[in-house]
Amino acid sequence: AQTVTQSQPEMSVQEAETVTLSCTYDTSESDYYLFWYKQPPSRQMILVIRQEAYKQQNATENRFSVNFQKAAKSFSLKISDSQLGDAAMYFCAYRSAQGGSEKLVFGKGTKLTVNP
Amino acid sequence: EPEVTQTPSHQVTQMGQEVILRCVPISNHLYFYWYRQILGQKVEFLVSFYNNEISEKSEIFDDQFSVERPDGSNFTLKIRSTKLEDSAMYFCASRDDRRTEAFFGQGTRLTVV
C-alpha cells in the first residue's frame, strides 16, 4: 500500500520570503500522480499544484513550484514571495495511475504560518 | 468557475440516527468521491463512484455507509446509524476523465452527540 509522509507538522515563514514543505512517499508503482492541496481555516481543500510522475520537468503554478525527485520518492513544495493568504494546512497526496485505483492517499499535513 | 457544492455545511445528529450528506459535483464530471477528516487528523478516503456504481471503497466504508446518485446531479452519502466516532468533516470530490486532479467541495462538518 502507498504511504505519504510529511515530516514537518508545522512551519513558519516571514511574509515575502520563501518556504519549502517536504513530502516523501512510498510506492512500488512507476506511474502515478502527486498533488499538493491547501486547506485554509475554512477547511475547504484547494488544489495547489499537481505533478505527473512520467514528467521529468517540475510543475510550477505562479509562486508555487515543486521539486520532484522520483528516485528518492520526494515531492517538496516551494512557496516563493509568501503572502498572508498562504497560511493554511498543506497536504501532499498520491494517486495511482495504474490498476484502476482512484483514491487519493494523503499525508498528515503541514501547518504553515506566515508572519507579517 | 464551476465548483463542487455540499449541503449542509454543518449537521448535528444524535447517536444512532441516520444522516444523509449531499453533494452536487461539477456537472460534466464522471468520477465522484467521499473523504472524511477527523479533527486534527489526515484526510481519509471512503469511497469512489463511477458509472453508477462503487468502484472502490476503504475499510472505513462498512455496511453503515452507502452512496447514491439519485438523479443526474446529486451524489449522497448516507450513514445509517451514526456513532460518536463518525464525527468528522466529510468532503465530496469529483473529477472528469480528462484531468488528473479531483476538485473538492467545502465539506460538511458532522457532529454526533
Side-chain angles (χ1 to χ4, degrees):
Chain A
Q2 295 82 21
T3 58
V4 176
T5 302
Q6 294 179 249
S7 58
Q8 307 152 315
E10 296 188 27
M11 291 282 284
S12 64
V13 63
Q14 290 296 125
E15 196 175 3
E17 295 194 346
T18 295
V19 63
T20 299
L21 308 184
S22 301
C23 173
T24 58
Y25 57 94
D26 188 26
T27 184
S28 59
E29 297 176 334
S30 58
D31 198 13
Y32 48 87
Y33 308 106
L34 295 164
F35 307 90
W36 280 96
Y37 281 90
K38 169 184 177 181
Q39 188 180 46
S42 65
R43 299 197 73 184
Q44 181 165 8
M45 298 288 286
I46 302 166
L47 177 72
V48 175
I49 199 165
R50 69 177 185 278
Q51 174 82 41
E52 291 89 345
Y54 67 85
K55 290 186 178 178
Q56 292 187 334
Q57 187 173 7
N58 290 321
T60 62
E61 287 286 342
N62 301 313
R63 297 183 294 106
F64 299 88
S65 62
V66 298
N67 183 4
F68 173 49
Q69 301 288 329
K70 191 172 185 179
K73 296 179 182 174
S74 171
F75 182 62
S76 60
L77 174 70
K78 185 170 84 170
I79 306 173
S80 303
D81 186 24
S82 298
Q83 300 176 359
L84 295 177
D86 295 333
M89 282 290 287
Y90 286 81
F91 292 95
C92 179
Y94 171 104
R95 181 166 82 80
S96 173
Q98 61 194 65
S101 178
E102 280 287 318
K103 71 179 180 184
L104 286 166
V105 178
F106 285 88
K108 290 186 176 182
T110 296
K111 182 179 180 181
L112 178 66
T113 302
V114 182
N115 300 310
Chain B
E1 186 173 336
E3 58 182 25
V4 177
T5 56
Q6 291 184 242
T7 54
S9 57
H10 189 193
Q11 179 146 4
V12 181
T13 189
Q14 288 201 323
M15 191 169 54
Q17 294 297 304
E18 175 184 284
V19 295
I20 297 176
L21 309 183
R22 303 183 190 279
C23 169
V24 179
I26 296 172
S27 64
N28 61 340
H29 286 192
L30 301 177
Y31 298 85
F32 313 113
Y33 315 90
W34 284 100
Y35 289 81
R36 81 172 185 189
Q37 184 184 31
I38 295 171
L39 187 63
Q41 298 187 23
K42 66 179 176 181
V43 179
E44 301 172 291
F45 170 77
L46 291 177
V47 66
S48 59
F49 191 88
Y50 172 73
N51 200 25
N52 285 320
E53 60 183 21
I54 291 173
S55 50
E56 188 176 4
K57 59 183 180 179
S58 71
E59 292 177 351
I60 303 167
F61 195 88
D62 60 21
D63 292 345
Q64 292 286 78
F65 293 88
S66 63
V67 289
E68 196 174 40
R69 189 157 162 80
D71 52 41
S73 60
N74 290 284
F75 180 52
T76 62
L77 174 69
K78 182 193 290 185
I79 309 174
R80 287 187 183 79
S81 178
T82 50
K83 306 170 192 169
L84 294 176
E85 54 264 38
D86 293 327
S87 294
M89 196 78 165
Y90 288 81
F91 292 101
C92 174
S94 69
R95 181 175 81 82
D96 72 31
D97 59 0
R98 297 169 299 166
R99 302 183 70 163
T100 59
E101 68 271 21
F103 292 87
F104 283 75
Q106 78 277 24
T108 292
R109 183 190 300 271
L110 176 65
T111 303
V112 182
V113 296

